[in-house]
Amino acid sequence: MIKMSEEFEIRNKVAESGLINFDLTTLLPKGERKGIDLKDFLFQEMILKEKDFREKVEAINVEDYKDSYIYIYNSVDTIIPLWAYFVLTAKLTEVAKKIVFGNREDLEVILMHNAIQTYDFEDMRGKRVLVKGCSDKEIPENAYIELVEQLKPLVKSLMFGEACSNVPIIKN
């Protein structure tokens, strides 16, 4: 048995270093993501008939999309006139948090872009910043690029990874 002296102190050297740990997942907007496939609004999933399309859009229960992030896509190979996106978006814009054209990944890229562009990074000015490398949530790669663009002119140093194992990115 090892006896510890009263002078023994457990120190957290990472906390003492003044290192700021930044987790990009904290910027992920909270809310349900919902996709709308335009093929469901087409006649025989092939042809857009204006009258039928407008009737189907009108029949949408907007409450199903309340406070959601919506991505509109087309899973079939057919031409969709641009006005159709206007009609569908106009129906949902009052209840949705955000509507984009594209797939789920496109939505996530746009949401993270907006979050990074509006986040106040000023408290990181002149500091050593470590961007967390591992996460249970998927972060679009573009978010890391945009984050470096925002942080490079502000921080003293920027690293990626974990405190025990990180990759230096920049030093100012």
Side-chain angles (χ1 to χ4, degrees):
M1 181 172 181
I2 301 174
K3 186 174 182 181
M4 299 204 180
S5 75
E6 291 177 10
E7 296 174 16
F8 180 74
E9 178 184 350
I10 297 175
R11 294 175 48 205
N12 184 337
K13 291 182 180 181
V14 173
E16 292 175 358
S17 72
L19 185 67
I20 295 176
N21 287 297
F22 186 74
D23 185 352
L24 257 174
T25 63
T26 61
L27 297 185
L28 279 172
K30 293 178 180 28
E32 193 170 0
R33 276 70 163 155
K34 293 186 176 184
I36 298 176
D37 190 348
L38 289 174
K39 80 169 174 65
D40 299 331
F41 295 81
L42 304 176
F43 176 72
Q44 297 181 345
E45 296 183 355
M46 293 187 306
I47 302 167
L48 190 141
K49 290 184 173 181
E50 183 177 354
K51 183 180 178 200
D52 293 346
F53 179 81
R54 287 182 180 274
E55 287 172 358
K56 288 179 181 178
V57 169
E58 191 55 40
I60 292 173
N61 180 1
V62 293
E63 289 302 309
D64 293 343
Y65 296 94
K66 187 174 172 99
D67 295 327
S68 295
Y69 296 97
I70 301 171
Y71 56 100
I72 300 170
Y73 65 100
N74 183 16
S75 66
V76 294
D77 189 23
T78 190
I79 296 172
I80 305 293
L82 288 176
W83 61 261
Y85 300 106
F86 279 70
V87 171
L88 186 54
T89 302
K91 175 73 176 186
L92 298 168
T93 196
E94 296 297 320
V95 296
K97 288 184 177 180
K98 181 75 175 165
I99 305 169
V100 303
F101 173 79
N103 58 30
R104 170 76 185 258
E105 290 175 19
D106 296 328
L107 172 66
E108 297 301 335
V109 167
I110 290 169
L111 292 178
M112 284 302 292
H113 168 79
N114 291 345
I116 290 169
Q117 294 303 313
T118 58
Y119 187 82
D120 183 7
F121 292 101
E122 194 57 38
D123 62 334
M124 296 181 192
R125 183 175 293 282
K127 305 277 175 59
R128 297 172 61 234
V129 178
L130 173 65
V131 177
K132 185 176 179 182
C134 297
S135 174
D136 58 346
K137 296 178 183 171
E138 195 167 323
I139 303 291
E141 286 87 355
N142 196 62
Y144 294 100
I145 292 168
E146 290 192 54
L147 184 64
V148 171
E149 287 179 323
Q150 292 294 318
L151 293 179
K152 185 177 181 196
L154 293 177
V155 301
K156 179 179 181 181
S157 66
L158 181 63
M159 296 159 278
F160 176 80
E162 302 301 323
C164 61
S165 172
N166 62 65
V167 178
I169 306 300
I170 60 163
K171 271 191 173 185
N172 288 331

